[in-house]
Amino acid sequence: QVRLVESGGGLVQAGGSLRLSCAASGNIYSINTMAWYRQAPGKQRELVALITRGGSTNYADSVKDRFSISRDNAKNTLNLQMNSLKPEDTAVYYCYATSASSYLPASWGQGTQVTVSS
């Protein structure tokens, strides 16, 4: 079982920056793709950015050119550098990891709140 723990959320002014981190533990060898999702009140959870084990990335149009996802496979960490933050980025951000094994479910972190004030 993979356990994911996010950190780095908080309150920041519009235009500011914030870096989220996710520490993975447990059956880390089963991890393939990792991603950041977010969910704002009254909205569905949406994919923010993903990164494959090989380092290929993909971003939601709303965060492209502002956010940067990265991972350190040796340290079992996932990061999301968020720049030029907007109030619309306010949400609970979740770390996510898929499993290479069909016998293991995907894993979610508990979420960390990001609030961007105007």
Side-chain angles (χ1 to χ4, degrees), residues 97-115:
T98 67
S99 176
S101 174
S102 61
Y103 296 101
L104 299 174
S107 299
W108 291 92
Q110 82 289 343
T112 185
Q113 177 71 49
V114 172
T115 302

Side-chain angles (χ1 to χ4, degrees), residues 48-113:
V48 177
L50 65 79
I51 183 168
T52 68
R53 188 165 184 85
S56 297
T57 60
N58 194 33
Y59 299 90
D61 289 340
S62 60
V63 306
K64 191 175 184 295
D65 299 323
R66 298 190 298 119
F67 291 10
S68 180
I69 189 172
S70 62
R71 67 190 290 175
D72 188 329
N73 294 332
K75 297 183 182 299
N76 305 314
T77 58
L78 177 73
N79 298 289
L80 184 68
Q81 179 65 47
M82 304 184 293
N83 299 322
S84 301
L85 283 162
K86 305 174 180 180
E88 305 86 82
D89 296 318
T90 295
V92 177
Y93 284 70
Y94 297 91
C95 183
Y96 172 83
T98 67
S99 176
S101 174
S102 61
Y103 296 101
L104 299 174
S107 299
W108 291 92
Q110 82 289 343
T112 185
Q113 177 71 49

